[in-house]
Amino acid sequence: MHDAAFATDPHQVYDRLREHAPAGPVELAPGVDATLVVEHEMALRVLQNTELFARDARRWKALNEGRIGMDSPVLPMMAYRPSCLFTDGAVHLRLRKAVVDSLARLNTTRIRRDVEPIADYLIDQFSERGRADLLGDYAKLLPLLLFNKLFGCPADIGDTVTTAVSAIFDGKDALRANEELTASLMELIALKRRSPGDDVTSWLIQHPAGLTDEELKDQLVLLMGAGIEPERSLISSSLMLLLSGAGGRQSGMLIEEALDHVLWNQTPIANYATHYPVQDVDLGGHVAEANTPVVISFAGANADPALDEARRAHSKGAHLAWGAGPHACPAKDPAQVIATTAIERLLNALPDLTLTVAEKDLQWRPGPFHRALVALPVTFTPTPATRTAAALRDRVAAPGAQPMPAAVSEPVRQEPARRKGFWSSFLDVFRV
């Protein structure tokens, strides 16, 4: 599941496994074996059975026995962290409640208010060129900047977070990037303990669950990993569909319909939710040994022939793109609002966007867990980069308007001049 052939056509693997059993053996990375569940009913059974299937990756036998190298590319996604993704029982309930309650404070109005200026700022960076890569120039950056805003990151910490998360997702010196991300988040947590704000980091700190700094850091890492990567794929794959011949705007497809089509057919997190059986278990003809990885193929389950009727009707309740059971995604609604707002803003700003290559010629990024484009090149009529300025004028002119607050009010640090990152550049523009 780590080569170019899988990236090009992952369903040939899902279909081949499904011919023999609801689950079967796969190789996630060189030397990393797992069981992949591709049948919808079996996926639900695993996701909902917390007594037989644990999420704690410290059970992973091959890793404990030294048969998985510490430089394996899947470790950042699979190794244990004390977050609600990798915990069970009472510990999981406590951590998840803190995350769910904090995310619940992000209403639709707040999300749209935060997405729109970021979208305008990014569109202004390429609108005068008449061409862009909507993945690298837009869909990839928007969630990163948005999470900096939602977490209340000041300029320097936000730049480090943006760079480190991008490196982890791109597999560029992931160990060093992980160290930089950890250090920057611990600095953010210390800052928010001293000066709390109207942001997710402060809300997690203030939650009655009483999370430690280490727990706070790992919940923030979880929110980034579970939010940024699938969000950029949801945005870019939906744009691909809306701009293609099949779904193009000439067909009258709505943005919400495009999102739903992607969740069914190009599931952004295609394979994940790793479980570890507490004993050997027969998964409909394939035996998964105790303490070996059992990975749920959300994409494979969504393509299960048993769901043909639901898929044709685009039934939102049937697909597994958001998971199921006690570890189901708690940010389903915010994620869809973010994607819808980002796509609306782009299509309204550049109404004649056109793909520069045929949809069938677009490339998909190799990797066992995601379904993600390499690039989404487009052309359009060049337009002036005035959207950010217009948004600033509207803010200032609005009755009772308040300046967009800096993420934190701390003394400016006297450090050597450095190249500004996207987040600090964005804050400079909106500090009016």
Side-chain angles (χ1 to χ4, degrees):
M1 293 174 62
H2 51 84
D3 60 12
F6 178 76
T8 301
D9 183 12
H11 284 278
Q12 45 93 15
V13 171
Y14 309 147
D15 292 343
R16 191 162 67 245
L17 289 174
R18 198 182 294 110
E19 288 176 0
H20 301 285
V26 293
E27 186 180 63
L28 299 175
V32 181
D33 296 323
T35 294
L36 188 69
V37 180
V38 294
E39 184 189 78
H40 184 265
E41 182 181 353
M42 183 62 73
L44 283 175
R45 285 174 56 189
V46 175
L47 289 165
Q48 295 171 345
N49 190 335
T50 57
E51 293 185 2
L52 188 54
F53 297 96
R55 295 295 291 264
D56 191 334
R58 290 174 296 185
R59 291 177 170 272
W60 190 359
K61 183 167 63 175
L63 183 63
N64 293 336
E65 294 175 352
R67 290 185 278 126
I68 307 294
M70 296 309 295
D71 59 347
S72 174
V74 298
L75 278 190
M77 292 285 283
M78 294 181 67
Y80 172 79
R81 289 181 184 270
S83 73
C84 49
L85 187 65
F86 295 103
T87 49
D88 303 293
V91 174
H92 167 253
L93 290 174
R94 172 176 161 269
L95 296 175
R96 182 177 172 90
K97 181 165 177 54
V99 169
V100 170
D101 289 351
S102 297
L103 291 177
R105 298 176 68 169
L106 294 173
N107 59 40
T108 299
T109 301
R110 163 73 183 263
I111 293 171
R112 292 186 69 94
R113 186 193 74 201
D114 288 345
V115 170
E116 288 174 355
I118 294 172
D120 289 345
Y121 173 78
L122 292 174
I123 295 167
D124 274 355
Q125 307 306 305
F126 57 78
S127 67
E128 294 183 346
R129 296 203 308 256
R131 55 180 171 77
D133 168 14
L134 293 183
L135 179 66
D137 294 333
Y138 191 67
K140 185 176 180 178
L141 294 171
L142 188 143
L144 274 171
L145 299 184
L146 176 63
F147 271 70
N148 277 338
K149 180 69 173 70
L150 296 179
F151 288 3
C153 290
D156 54 349
I157 292 178
D159 284 346
T160 302
V161 167
T162 302
T163 302
V165 171
S166 295
I168 290 170
F169 285 143
D170 294 341
K172 296 177 181 176
D173 201 354
L175 288 177
R176 188 182 72 174
N178 186 58
E179 291 174 358
E180 292 177 352
L181 177 62
T182 297
S184 62
L185 290 179
M186 293 301 282
E187 186 178 359
L188 175 65
I189 290 163
L191 204 57
K192 291 299 177 180
R193 284 200 185 277
R194 297 195 303 271
S195 304
D198 184 29
D199 53 68
V200 173
T201 308
S202 299
W203 300 337
L204 282 169
I205 289 171
Q206 296 160 357
H207 194 273
L211 273 58
T212 66
D213 286 1
E214 195 69 21
E215 289 173 332
L216 286 163
K217 179 259 296 180
D218 284 300
Q219 307 326 300
L220 292 175
V221 170
L222 166 64
L223 288 171
M224 285 185 172
I228 292 172
E229 171 70 18
E231 191 69 51
R232 61 175 54 166
S233 294
L234 181 58
I235 293 170
S236 57
S237 294
S238 298
L239 282 168
M240 175 191 71
L241 182 63
L242 288 165
L243 299 177
S244 70
R249 279 167 287 177
Q250 298 80 6
S251 70
M253 176 177 279
L254 301 174
I255 293 174
E256 291 78 6
E257 292 173 331
L259 295 177
D260 200 48
H261 187 280
V262 169
L263 292 169
W264 267 106
N265 300 292
Q266 301 290 358
T267 315
I269 295 297
N271 309 288
Y272 200 40
T274 308
H275 293 70
Y276 298 87
V278 300
Q279 63 190 47
D280 292 359
V281 57
D282 186 343
L283 299 175
H286 172 78
V287 175
E289 296 181 5
N291 299 321
T292 62
V294 173
V295 175
I296 304 299
S297 178
F298 301 115
N302 288 348
D304 188 335
L307 294 183
D308 280 351
E309 184 175 340
R311 192 163 44 252
R312 282 193 297 270
H314 294 291
S315 173
K316 290 182 171 64
H319 70 66
L320 289 181
W322 305 109
H327 290 269
C329 176
K332 176 176 70 171
D333 293 337
Q336 293 183 103
V337 173
I338 293 166
T340 300
T341 306
I343 294 170
E344 282 177 352
R345 210 71 176 177
L346 179 69
L347 296 182
N348 288 337
L350 305 172
D352 63 345
L353 283 167
T354 304
L355 289 175
T356 58
V357 297
E359 181 184 356
K360 63 180 179 61
D361 295 326
L362 291 169
Q363 295 184 315
W364 297 89
R365 200 171 85 229
F369 304 119
H370 53 250
R371 183 62 172 163
L373 289 164
V374 172
L376 188 61
V378 295
T379 57
F380 50 87
T381 302
T383 62
T386 57
R387 295 163 194 83
T388 302
L392 284 169
R393 285 196 303 271
D394 292 344
R395 281 179 185 275
V396 173
Q402 295 294 320
M404 182 174 181
V408 71
S409 54
E410 284 281 305
V412 177
R413 303 174 190 185
Q414 299 300 317
E415 295 179 349
R418 60 182 177 82
R419 183 183 176 189
K420 285 185 178 294
F422 264 100
W423 181 238
S424 55
S425 299
F426 173 79
L427 285 181
D428 282 349
V429 170
F430 278 90
R431 237 182 232 119
V432 296

